[in-house]
Amino acid sequence: MRVVLIERGEMGGECLNTGCVPSKALLAAAAQTAHAMRSAGGCGIEAVEPCVDFAAVHAHVHQVIAAIAPHDSVERFEGKGAHVIRAEARFVAPCVLMAGGQRIEARRVTIATGSAPVAPKIDGLDAVPYFTNESIFDNRTLPAHLLIIGAGPIGLEMAQAHRRLGSQVTVIERSKEPRA
Ligand SMILES: Cc1cc2nc3c(=O)[nH]c(=O)nc-3n(C[C@H](O)[C@H](O)[C@H](O)COP(=O)(O)OP(=O)(O)OC[C@H]3O[C@@H](n4cnc5c(N)ncnc54)[C@H](O)[C@@H]3O)c2cc1C
């Protein structure tokens, strides 16, 4: 089939840029290494307190993104025969889209536009600075104390990673029931 892929933001979407990849680079590579250094005792290797350069950890996370980016790149998909348009898509008629000044008519359209972080209604939140997944991986300074609202998998990943890298971490979860 002839395929047109339209992307208005970064190729690779959330997973590559602000989701799975940076979170696992932070968690698995950096934080796990720091934890392993601290807890090495017991297997004949002296445990040491790691000296964490958070700006360098940030650089590492972005190197991992950059290493994977070619797999999600325009060149790769164009090389496989898809036509890639880097622009915002909008419908102008059923099965007719406009993107980047191009008109695309297709029998089938897959909408895979993902999601964006939504700030929850929490009193006072609008008066304080806070991170979302779109900003936390751009942070170059280790937070002295990171407060995480929500103990889902992503909140707990960020809690573990930052704790292991040396932040004080507090997690707040309103539900008292364990998640299924
Ligand atoms: C911190 C974090 C860690 C995560 N870790 C994992 C993990 O370990 N494993 C896992 O499976 N999942 C993980 N996820 C979830 C995963 O990132 C998402 O489920 C996945 O990226 C969703 O993919 P998608 O293609 O549906 O949407 P997206 O990746 O959001 O892609 C949608 C794309 O559509 C584009 N778009 C939107 N509207 C338009 C328009 N009008 N015109 C053109 N383009 C448009 C956007 O720019 C975007 O790039 C994690 C998420 C976060 C935030």
Side-chain angles (χ1 to χ4, degrees), residues 129-152:
Y130 59 87
F131 293 118
T132 69
N133 69 301
E134 290 187 347
S135 54
I136 196 163
F137 302 112
D138 288 331
N139 178 36
R140 290 177 168 79
T141 310
L142 183 69
H145 186 178
L146 184 65
L147 190 71
I148 295 178
I149 303 179

Side-chain angles (χ1 to χ4, degrees), residues 6-10 12-15 18-20 23-24 87-90 112-115 133 137 154 157-158:
I6 308 167
E7 172 57 59
R8 69 175 176 194
E10 296 294 327
E14 179 182 89
C15 183
T18 57
C20 332
S23 63
K24 268 68 215 177
E88 171 135 345
R90 63 191 173 89
T113 47
S115 58
N133 69 301
F137 302 112
I154 292 172
E157 279 185 353
M158 291 301 101

Side-chain angles (χ1 to χ4, degrees), residues 32-161:
Q32 194 170 309
T33 304
H35 178 66
M37 289 171 71
R38 241 181 242 119
S39 52
C43 56
I45 299 165
E46 190 186 348
V48 287
E49 184 55 31
C51 175
V52 175
D53 176 347
F54 200 70
V57 170
H58 167 273
H60 162 75
V61 167
H62 285 268
Q63 279 159 13
V64 173
I65 293 173
I68 297 173
H71 297 280
D72 288 352
S73 64
V74 172
E75 293 71 25
R76 177 147 188 257
F77 283 87
E78 295 267 8
K80 291 183 178 296
H83 175 40
V84 181
I85 301 174
R86 299 292 303 276
E88 171 135 345
R90 63 191 173 89
F91 283 92
V92 292
C95 292
V96 183
L97 291 108
M98 288 296 296
Q102 297 183 59
R103 185 178 186 279
I104 308 113
E105 198 169 337
R107 238 167 20 102
R108 309 220 189 282
V109 179
T110 298
I111 300 174
T113 47
S115 58
V118 175
K121 286 190 175 55
I122 297 175
D123 283 350
L125 184 64
D126 53 358
V128 296
Y130 59 87
F131 293 118
T132 69
N133 69 301
E134 290 187 347
S135 54
I136 196 163
F137 302 112
D138 288 331
N139 178 36
R140 290 177 168 79
T141 310
L142 183 69
H145 186 178
L146 184 65
L147 190 71
I148 295 178
I149 303 179
I154 292 172
L156 293 181
E157 279 185 353
M158 291 301 101
Q160 187 187 72

